Amino acid sequence: MKDLSKNYINGQWQDWAGETIDVHEAATGDVIARVPASGRGEMEQAIAAASAAFESWSESTLEKRLHVLEQLHAGLKERAPEIAETVCREVGMPIKLATGIQAGLPATITKSYLKLLPEFPFSEQVGNSEVQYTPVGVVGCITPWNYPLHQVILKVVPALAAGCTVVLKPSEIAPQSAYILADILDKTDLPKGVFNLVCGEGQTVGDTLIKHPGVNMVSFTGSTRTGSLIAHAAADDFKRFALEMGGKSASVILADADLAKAVKGTVNNCLLNSGQTCTALTRMLVPAEKHDEACELAAAAVAKMTPGNPLEETTRLGPLASAQQRDKVIDYIKLGIEEGATLVAGGPESPEGCAHGYFVKATVFGNVKPDSRIAQEEIFGPVLCVIPYEDETEAIEIANGTAYGLSGAVWSGDDAHAKKVASKLRTGQVFVNGGDFNPLAPFGGFGHSGIGREFGKWGLKEFLEVRSLQL
C-alpha cells in the first residue's frame, strides 16, 4: 500500500499527519493507497503560493513555458507504464485500453500544445487597437476519477501555457496519477508555487478553492449537480469558470445505415471504461421496424464483453471505480426493469466469477421510453438504452430531448445525409459514421453538459482574458 500522506505546495512536498482517505482497487476492493483528508488551511497555503508566483510566471517568456512543457511531456512518456497500471487499478479500465487512453492521451495533449503555442497569436492588431490575450490569474482545477490524469492535463497544461498558476484538487477516489504528475513537474524547471496539489474532500478543500477571493477562475469536470453549485458560488465573486459535466448522448441509427456496423460502434463506445465516460453513447435510437434486430445485435456484442481482471491483456470490460458507483448503477438497472423496459442482456445480479470488486454486468434495455428515467438520467455505467422511433423528425426530437448535450453520433449509408442530421443535434460533438476522436477539436457541451471548451486553441483561450490597447 502506498502512503501518499502529503500535499505539494510551493514547490515542496508537505507531510500530512491528520486523517487520511483510503484509495481502493476497483477489481478487489482492497485499500492500495492513502491520501490526505486535508483542511482549509492547506488549501489556503496553496492558493497563497499560487498568488505569489503569478506575476513572474505570467510575465515569463513563451520559450520558458515551452521548455517546461517539453520536460513534462518527456516525463509523461517515461512513466506511461506506471500511469497506465495506476489508473487501471484505481478506475478499473482494462490495462490494454488504459495504456493507450489513460496514459497515452495526457502525453498526446501535452504534445499538441507544444505545437500550438508558437503559432498562437497572444496579441493581434485590430484597426488602431492592439488586442492582447493575457492570463486570467490563479486557476483552481477540480477533476474527476474516470479519466483522472487526462482530465488534469486538459486543465493544467493549457493553464500553465497561458501563464496562469494552478491549484489542483484531484478526485480522492483516483488521486495517484495526480501525484505522479506533481512528481514529474517537481523535477522540471517550473518555478515554485506555479503548480500546487492539495488532496481532500470536496466539501472542505474544494469549497475553499471555489470560494476563495484569491482564485480568479475555476475549471471543473464532474457531475452536473456539483457544476451547478460551483457556478452559483463563483457568481458571488464574479469568478470565471469552465464546466465540463454530464451527458446522455444519443447514437442515431438512420434507416439507410449499416445496422450491424452502427450497433457495434455504439456498443463499443457505450461500454468504454465500463460506461464511466461522460460522452458515452448510452441511448441507441433505431427505426421501429429494426428495433428487435438491433437489440439482438447489441446483445451479441455485449456477450463478448464479460467482466474480468483489468490487469489482464485480454480483458475488455473491467469493474466500476467504487462501491458507491457500482450500487448506483445496479439501482438504475433495477429501475429500468420497474419502468417496463425489456431486459435484453445483463441485469442487476453480480457477474459470475466476480465476487470481489465493483463489477456490474453489461446491460442492454430494449423498448425504452424516451421520457423514462433510464433514458433521461446519466447512469455512468455499462447500460445501453435502445429506443425505437418512427421517422427522422422524431429521432432528432428524441436525441435532443434531454437536459444534456455533450456528444452524439449519426449513422447513415450516405455521409451527406448523416451530416445533415448531425447538424440538427444540440450537442457539442457528433461522431459521423464512426469518425475518429480528434484531440485538436473543441470539446464541451450544450445545456446541462457544461460551459466552455477544452482541447486545442479553444482550451487555451479558456485561461486567457482579453485586453485592448487603443493606439
Side-chain angles (χ1 to χ4, degrees):
M1 183 186 68
K2 293 183 180 179
D3 183 5
L4 300 175
S5 301
K6 56 190 70 178
N7 294 303
Y8 187 75
I9 300 174
N10 200 28
Q12 295 181 327
W13 288 106
Q14 296 189 4
D15 291 333
W16 170 256
E19 294 184 5
T20 58
I21 301 169
D22 290 342
V23 179
H24 297 267
E25 183 163 3
T28 64
D30 295 339
V31 176
I32 54 175
R34 289 194 174 100
V35 295
S38 304
R40 297 185 185 277
E42 287 68 39
M43 182 56 77
E44 289 172 348
Q45 288 180 38
I47 294 169
S51 297
F54 174 68
E55 182 176 356
S56 60
W57 181 248
S58 66
E59 295 176 354
S60 63
T61 63
L62 181 60
E63 289 71 23
K64 183 173 183 177
R65 296 179 207 170
L66 284 168
H67 172 63
V68 169
L69 292 183
E70 286 169 351
Q71 291 177 311
L72 170 59
H73 180 256
L76 291 171
K77 294 282 286 185
E78 180 182 353
R79 299 182 70 170
E82 178 188 1
I83 292 167
E85 182 176 339
T86 296
V87 179
C88 171
R89 290 183 179 276
E90 287 181 330
V91 178
M93 177 180 279
I95 188 65
K96 188 173 183 179
L97 292 171
T99 298
I101 298 173
Q102 302 281 12
L105 274 178
T108 298
I109 298 304
T110 304
K111 187 175 182 179
S112 74
Y113 280 102
L114 287 171
K115 293 181 178 180
L116 183 151
L117 280 175
E119 303 171 357
F120 186 83
F122 283 93
S123 67
E124 56 184 320
Q125 200 71 27
V126 180
N128 68 303
S129 302
E130 180 182 321
V131 179
Q132 301 176 339
Y133 295 92
T134 186
V136 70
V138 176
V139 177
C141 299
I142 302 175
T143 55
W145 47 260
N146 59 331
Y147 293 87
L149 185 58
H150 170 58
Q151 296 292 350
V152 168
I153 289 293
L154 275 180
K155 303 178 188 310
V156 170
V157 167
L160 296 180
C164 299
T165 55
V166 171
V167 179
L168 168 66
K169 192 213 93 66
S171 166
E172 61 273 23
I173 294 174
Q176 293 182 88
S177 59
Y179 279 80
I180 296 173
L181 172 65
D183 189 52
I184 294 172
L185 287 172
D186 185 60
K187 294 176 172 61
T188 70
D189 295 322
L190 189 70
K192 292 182 178 181
V194 175
F195 171 83
N196 307 270
L197 179 152
V198 178
C199 201
E201 301 283 356
Q203 60 265 36
T204 305
V205 294
D207 185 71
T208 304
L209 183 60
I210 294 162
K211 296 178 180 177
H212 198 286
V215 175
N216 304 103
M217 176 181 174
V218 176
S219 180
F220 166 78
T221 298
S223 72
T224 299
R225 185 183 67 84
T226 302
S228 176
L229 295 175
I230 290 172
H232 279 84
D236 290 337
D237 197 28
F238 295 96
K239 199 187 303 288
R240 282 269 297 274
F241 58 83
L243 308 173
E244 196 272 285
M245 302 182 291
K248 195 67 181 178
S249 302
S251 178
V252 182
I253 302 177
L254 301 177
D256 61 350
D258 181 332
L259 186 63
K261 178 181 178 181
V263 171
K264 181 180 178 180
T266 301
V267 169
N268 288 341
N269 178 288
C270 177
L271 299 186
L272 178 66
N273 203 22
S274 297
Q276 300 171 126
T277 303
C278 53
T279 57
L281 300 174
T282 54
R283 294 183 298 148
M284 186 167 74
L285 281 53
V286 298
E289 66 273 14
K290 296 186 177 183
H291 171 271
D292 292 351
E293 183 183 358
C295 286
E296 290 176 5
L297 289 167
V302 163
K304 298 176 182 178
M305 295 189 179
T306 54
N309 183 352
L311 288 170
E312 295 180 1
E313 288 284 340
T314 56
T315 298
R316 298 180 64 188
L317 187 70
L320 301 187
S322 68
Q324 180 183 11
Q325 191 60 27
R326 174 200 60 198
D327 294 345
K328 173 189 171 185
V329 173
I330 290 173
D331 284 345
Y332 267 112
I333 294 173
K334 292 178 179 177
L335 175 63
I337 296 171
E338 292 171 6
E339 289 184 321
T342 303
L343 183 62
V344 175
E349 304 83 8
S350 297
E352 292 183 11
C354 299
H356 303 288
Y358 313 131
F359 291 91
V360 174
K361 288 182 179 179
T363 298
V364 178
F365 282 110
N367 290 304
V368 176
K369 296 179 180 179
D371 59 352
S372 64
R373 285 183 59 190
I374 62 168
Q376 289 288 319
E377 300 175 12
E378 186 177 42
I379 298 174
F380 225 58
V383 181
L384 175 66
C385 296
V386 184
I387 305 173
Y389 67 84
E390 294 299 330
D391 54 36
E392 285 185 13
T393 299
E394 185 185 19
I396 294 166
E397 181 180 336
I398 293 172
N400 292 334
T402 74
Y404 298 107
L406 188 58
S407 189
V410 176
W411 305 83
S412 169
D414 182 332
D415 285 343
H417 184 196
K419 286 176 65 177
K420 183 178 180 180
V421 173
S423 67
K424 297 180 180 180
L425 300 190
R426 298 284 298 166
T427 185
Q429 66 172 354
V430 184
F431 292 92
V432 177
N433 283 331
D436 292 333
F437 177 75
N438 181 3
L440 299 178
F443 178 85
F446 290 19
H448 289 202
S449 287
I451 296 173
R453 292 295 182 268
E454 294 179 318
F455 291 98
K457 64 181 180 181
W458 297 272
L460 181 63
K461 286 182 177 180
E462 289 293 337
F463 300 101
L464 295 169
E465 292 277 20
V466 182
R467 175 172 56 221
S468 296
L469 303 185
Q470 316 303 355
L471 306 176

